[in-house]
Amino acid sequence: MNKFLVFQSDFGLVDGAVSAMEGVAYNVCSELKIAHITHDITQYNIFEGSYRLFQTVEYWPEGTVFVSVVDPGVGTSRKSVVVKTSKNQYIVTPNNGTLTHINRFVGIDEIREIEESVNRRSNTEHSYTFHGRDVYAYTGARLASGTIGFEEVGPLMKLDEIVELELFENTVDDNSVVGQIDILDVRFGSLWTSIPFETFNNLGFSYGDRIEVQIFNNKTMVYSNRVTYGKSFADVSLGMPIIYMNSVYHMALAINQGSFAKAYAIGVGSPWTIRFEKPE
């Protein structure tokens, strides 16, 4: 292992939860190199946790261990697992849907259930609400440091036991594609869609085209306009909208130096769909 240990959670940084996880990890091995994806996942939002792993994991070296804790079912019968990805990285997490995007878009080779009689901090067996500290940070640190190997995490599970969230099925015809607004580029308010670049590109769109864009909240249209398709934000004037390919190679919608989400009160998830269509 390379001793990289990367944390993600919905805990925020306003109290000591994340620091406690770091402390547990350093008590296992003070030579660990700890980093963080984010701790600002929307509370209880498993889909968002899954997406942020997809956004990040494959850019880290082989052997990196990730600990992802978005766990509204903590203390229930949901299983605690470690998976080995097709990129030879490891993710320690509850098996509650957090692995959806990694399984679908990166690939998972093996999954093991954490054997808590071995891979849990001592004297915490009666603690049911902070598995991020007592199970996941502890197991992740043991794995990242080489204290245990992957085979020592616990028993193998079948790959079809991985719990997956339902992902939006894009629809395509000769002139248009409909997808979901999956998530925001939070700080800048850009809309990241479920539509891969390849699907969009196969419709024959070219840079500089003015494309018909419609956004719906359920069946109510909340936005309709022709928007320029560009390589980067500077391809349009300040304050103007633009269609572009984002950093995970999906199509996105932004305002140059503005927040599209705030400007039009756009949300994310299953109620929110978007259509890109060739103008008549």
Side-chain angles (χ1 to χ4, degrees), residues 3 26 41-42 58 68 88 118 139 171 180 244 246 261 277:
K3 290 189 169 61
Y26 281 131
I41 300 294
T42 303
E58 62 181 318
S68 179
N88 197 30
V118 178
T139 301
T171 58
Q180 178 178 276
Y244 69 103
N246 67 16
E277 185 173 11

Side-chain angles (χ1 to χ4, degrees), residues 250-267:
H250 281 59
M251 302 314 298
L253 190 62
I255 290 176
N256 185 15
Q257 296 191 32
S259 169
F260 201 106
K262 287 183 179 179
Y264 297 100
I266 305 297

